Structure formats: structure tokens, C-alpha cells
Amino acid sequence: MRMSTLALRNSLVAALAVAMLPLLSACGGSSDTAGPDAGSGSTADSGTKTVDGAAQLAIPDGTDDATKKMYIEENAIAACMKKKGFTYTPHMASPEAADSLAWGDGQDYALEKKQRQKYGFGTYAAAAYPDDPNAPGANTEGKMHGRVITPDDGDEKGFTAAQQKSYDEALNGIRPTTATKAEREQPGGCSAEGRAKAYGPELSIKDQMKEQAEKEEKNRANGLELNGDPELVQLAQKYANCLKEQGIPVSTTQPTGMFNMVRLDLTEEMSEPGPELTQAEALPLLTKDIAIAMKDLECGKEFRAAYFPKEKANPYWGSGA
């Protein structure tokens, strides 16, 4: 299964990867043979139709412009792949799957409290609750919190090595071997065509670098604005003092780093759960994780209530400006 990039607003810092974090839609190739006659459209999902032999997602009424472009990109890739003799099944994450990503940074206090009371920061939840599909990290292949995001449509099942190579080249183009890293990472093939249909022609490498530099400068300015906000500075210090009283170390008091500081520090400090971690071993670790996560949530309640509305007006990613 291959994935095309779909942007998801990152409310977590870059260290959680999410940097944004991405909302992903999956795709596939022809299920048996590669060639002009391969693939006659995929099994229709809810809201899926077949146009000229290619599966196409119906765009729901009321869809916002950013999400609509994701639909357009997926549909364009499917149509392009069909012309090349392959079946590409377009997918979009369900609203339920996207909603399951909403908790984690404490922005929604009520939702976060409910989640942390059971799962803590989520580090040991899957091992402690192996039969809970909603536990963070559960059923991670093609799913998020138990909900399917990138279904395995089986379109590439049975491919020979040669067929897989042909499919990959159709989807991504043939990567130049003598080029810069940025040039090699440029989308090609049907992926490039899909992006162009949705977002317009791809910028040159020079223009992309300029655009990225402008975004980073704007991000830096937004971070300085947030970190210099008198109310946030005061609340961040109050938040930090509360954590210290609870015996929780404080590694930063910058507003842009505070909201997710404890989670990130614990990620580095606490042992990562390996596949050999048993439920009996995970439960006491989860209990400790929950205790710290709840203290962090309560200490930061007032700070987060002020921070996120201001961060929305001055979007910032990173671990502190």
C-alpha cells in the first residue's frame, strides 16, 4: 500500500512527529496484473463511484476547501493510474478517525481528561489493554486509535517484482539518480499529476526553498509573539510552579514549549514499550503514566485555556521559539 500526503494541522510539537503531523490517505495498485487491461475499478466504498473505470470519491456537501483539495488529489491520482493500466483505490480518513487524533495536547480539557484518566499519555496503553481498539497505538497498521485510516485494499496483492516496479514508477515517476536530494524528492508520475490538479503546478526547487524560508520566518515570529505575551508568560510560570510542587521536573517555561513539555520529557525518560512487554508489566507503568498525565493536565488547565486561542491566531510549530 502506498500513501499520498494529506496535510493535517499539527497541534503537537515537531518532536511528536507530527510536525505536523499528516492526515494520510491510502492507495493501491492493480490486484493481479500490470498492463493496459489491469484493473477495472475498485469495490465501491460508501461515497465512492466509478468514472471511466477509475474509482472516484464523492466529495461530501459542506466540505471545507482544504479537505476538498485532498479529495481532488486522490481522485486525480486514481484517474491517472487507470490511464496507465493500474487500479489505485482512493481513500480519505473518516471524520471519526480524524476526531480520534484530537486529544493529546490538552486543548479540549474535557476530552483530554477522559482520555488521560484511562490511557495516561498513551505510552503503555496498548500493552496494558491489548483488546482495546481505542487505546493509543492499538492496531496501528492502517488504523489510528482502532479506526481505519489507510485500509489495505489489496490492490497490489500478487504483484511480481517487475509489476511492482512498474506500478511504483507510474505512481511516483522515475527518480533521477544524478540530482540533488530536493530534486530526487520531487513528486513525479501520477502523484505529481494529482497534486497539480489539486494545488496547481509544482513550484521550482528555488521557489519551494524560498516559500519554506518564508514559512519558517513567519513561524519564528509567531513563536516570539506567543513567548512574549505577558499573560501567557505569567500563566506558564504558574503552570511550572504547580508541576514542581507535584514533583514533576520542568525543562522549559516558554509558553510555546509548556503545553506538551511533560509528555515529551517523559517520552525521553521512560522506557519505550517493546513487543515483549506483557500486560502485567505494562499495568503498573500505565498507572504511573496516568498519575503524571493527570497532574500535568490539571496544572496546565488555565494556561492551555489561554494559550490555544492565541496560538490559533499565531500558528506555531516546534518545541519553543
Side-chain angles (χ1 to χ4, degrees):
M1 179 163 49
R2 297 292 182 269
M3 294 183 181
S4 63
T5 54
L6 298 177
L8 172 66
R9 180 190 176 278
N10 177 16
S11 60
L12 296 177
V13 298
L16 284 180
V18 203
M20 322 252 67
L21 281 180
L23 182 63
L24 299 174
S25 60
C27 52
S30 161
S31 58
D32 294 311
T33 58
D37 298 325
S40 57
S42 64
T43 301
D45 296 322
S46 176
T48 303
K49 56 186 177 181
T50 300
V51 178
D52 295 330
Q56 299 282 278
L57 297 169
I59 302 176
D61 293 337
T63 300
D64 64 85
D65 185 61
T67 306
K68 187 178 296 184
K69 287 179 179 178
M70 298 176 191
Y71 277 94
I72 292 171
E73 179 178 5
E74 283 291 289
N75 285 340
I77 293 174
C80 174
M81 290 294 282
K82 177 59 181 176
K83 291 177 182 177
K84 293 179 181 289
F86 297 97
T87 296
Y88 173 109
T89 302
H91 291 290
M92 288 288 291
S94 67
E96 292 79 11
D99 288 345
S100 70
L101 295 171
W103 74 277
D105 58 13
Q107 182 172 177
D108 185 328
Y109 172 79
L111 175 62
E112 185 76 0
K113 183 176 182 179
K114 179 181 178 181
Q115 296 290 345
R116 290 195 188 191
Q117 284 175 332
K118 183 174 183 180
Y119 301 124
F121 284 128
T123 306
Y124 303 103
Y129 304 125
D131 298 322
D132 183 354
N134 294 313
N139 303 317
T140 53
E141 186 170 348
K143 298 183 180 181
M144 187 68 71
H145 299 295
R147 295 189 176 93
V148 174
I149 289 183
T150 57
D152 182 4
D153 47 44
D155 287 343
E156 297 172 55
K157 184 179 180 181
F159 266 11
T160 65
Q163 289 169 340
Q164 187 68 63
K165 182 175 183 291
S166 296
Y167 169 81
D168 291 341
E169 290 178 352
L171 180 62
N172 298 311
I174 300 175
R175 296 299 187 206
T177 55
T178 56
T180 65
K181 181 176 183 292
E183 289 171 338
R184 292 196 301 272
E185 291 176 351
Q186 286 285 91
C190 288
S191 293
E193 184 170 321
R195 284 196 60 79
K197 286 283 180 65
Y199 302 100
E202 195 76 22
L203 295 176
S204 67
I205 296 293
K206 182 178 179 180
D207 287 341
Q208 286 184 49
M209 293 176 66
K210 179 182 177 182
E211 185 180 73
Q212 182 61 27
E214 291 172 349
K215 288 180 180 179
E216 290 176 358
E217 176 57 29
K218 177 62 176 174
N219 182 64
R220 188 187 72 84
N222 286 348
L224 292 174
E225 178 73 20
L226 293 168
N227 286 333
D229 184 286
E231 180 188 18
L232 294 181
V233 170
Q234 182 180 14
L235 290 174
Q237 188 60 58
K238 183 178 179 181
Y239 181 7
N241 291 339
C242 178
L243 290 173
K244 291 175 184 177
E245 290 171 0
Q246 298 289 336
I248 300 174
V250 174
S251 59
T252 181
T253 56
Q254 284 189 321
T256 53
M258 282 293 293
F259 76 93
N260 211 40
M261 176 199 65
V262 175
R263 177 196 291 272
L264 293 179
D265 289 353
L266 282 180
T267 299
E268 296 180 1
E269 176 188 330
M270 298 174 74
S271 58
E272 287 293 325
E276 71 283 353
L277 189 68
T278 67
Q279 184 177 26
E281 293 169 333
L283 283 170
L285 294 172
L286 174 62
T287 298
K288 179 181 178 181
D289 196 38
I290 289 173
I292 298 174
M294 292 304 298
K295 290 176 182 178
D296 171 61
L297 183 66
E298 295 304 324
C299 283
K301 181 179 180 181
E302 190 176 356
F303 168 80
R304 290 186 176 95
Y307 177 79
F308 283 107
K310 294 185 178 184
E311 191 274 338
K312 186 175 182 181
N314 296 278
Y316 177 78
W317 73 87
S319 57

